[in-house]
Amino acid sequence: MNDLVIHVPHASKVIPDDVLAEFTVPVAQLREEAAQSADLLTDLIAHTAWPQAAIVEAAVSRLVVDVERYESDADEEMATVGRGVLYTHDRHGRRIRATLHNERRQELLVRYYRPHWARLRALAVGKILIDLHSYPKEPWPIEHDTSSPRPEIDLGWSPQLTPAGWLEALTGHFRSAGYQVESVATMASFQCSLSNEASTVSVRSAASALLIPC
């Protein structure tokens, strides 16, 4: 397992105390949004399935800083709905956070975003990297594409990062276990951030419990 790195970017529900004041909704509502927006149990999956692998987890909820967004909102399509690297809106498109001035923005990126990517890049060089996610069975209102298939297992790939044959092998593996499998997801921002440093595949499940080993 020394050649395996698992990336778990969205499992955390942590919202630090000094960030709470930036949000404009009641704390209970914010905690619920953090839970609904999280890829719940993907951290448990990673540690259970691959205990010897290097596992890189985001330190805070994606509501605070989403480490799988482009750092610049100009490059990030989800920034148009308030879900860029620093979220201002919830999954329904409702405002939940005040606009941050640039100094505060940079402070959060320096604290959470850039160290996360520095560690991931350092560990991933020359390794096999699995980017682990879950996603809701029904699309959120903020999603740009609500018509794409939402299979039980969605394998993300790119020609630059995913070796030939991986998709076929992984698709066969999951289908033999009885899962509905498609290759729907793309990895554009992830590919750009890694700069071809690792052989990579993204695994998303429509229900995290599907992936937990018995």
Side-chain angles (χ1 to χ4, degrees):
M1 291 295 183
N2 290 338
D3 290 333
L4 187 61
V5 178
I6 312 299
H7 188 220
V8 184
H10 293 153
S12 178
K13 297 182 290 181
V14 173
I15 302 175
D17 289 342
D18 72 306
V19 181
L20 280 174
E22 298 168 5
F23 290 91
T24 58
V25 295
V27 172
Q29 181 180 335
L30 183 63
R31 301 288 188 201
E32 175 64 15
E33 180 64 25
Q36 292 295 328
S37 293
D39 292 352
L40 296 177
L41 301 180
T42 49
D43 50 348
L44 176 61
I45 292 168
H47 287 280
T48 303
W50 303 289
Q52 302 304 315
I55 299 173
V56 180
E57 303 178 55
V60 291
S61 166
R62 65 195 300 183
L63 301 187
V64 178
V65 174
D66 191 334
V67 296
E68 278 211 330
R69 299 293 195 241
Y70 285 112
E71 182 173 329
S72 171
D73 282 348
D75 299 321
E76 177 55 59
E77 66 174 0
M78 292 304 293
T80 62
V81 293
R83 305 276 278 197
V85 67
L86 302 176
Y87 286 16
T88 56
H89 290 65
D90 68 10
R91 67 194 187 282
H92 297 289
R94 300 172 299 204
R95 186 91 187 195
I96 60 171
R97 191 183 199 174
T99 300
L100 303 180
H101 55 74
N102 187 61
E103 182 179 347
R104 178 57 171 167
R105 179 185 179 90
Q106 293 302 315
E107 180 183 342
L108 291 172
L109 294 176
V110 167
R111 189 191 305 177
Y112 298 116
Y113 186 92
R114 293 170 191 160
H116 178 93
W117 275 102
R119 180 168 182 254
L120 183 59
R121 288 192 187 99
L123 288 172
V125 173
K127 303 295 180 64
I128 296 170
L129 177 62
I130 295 176
D131 188 41
L132 193 60
H133 293 266
S134 65
Y135 63 106
K137 293 181 179 179
E138 298 298 328
W140 291 335
I142 57 161
E143 294 184 30
H144 293 309
D145 181 6
T146 60
S147 61
S148 292
R150 304 178 82 84
E152 292 176 321
I153 303 293
D154 178 10
L155 299 174
W157 64 283
S158 79
Q160 290 77 20
L161 295 180
T162 310
W166 276 26
L167 283 182
E168 182 179 353
L170 287 168
T171 297
H173 169 76
F174 284 119
R175 284 180 177 166
S176 69
Y179 297 123
Q180 177 193 21
V181 185
E182 301 288 346
S183 300
V184 177
T186 58
M187 299 166 54
S189 61
F190 200 63
Q191 172 190 324
C192 179
S193 298
L194 276 176
S195 301
N196 302 332
E197 290 163 346
S199 299
T200 306
V201 66
S202 176
V203 179
R204 300 195 308 163
S205 171
S208 296
L210 289 174
L211 291 174
I212 297 178
C214 298

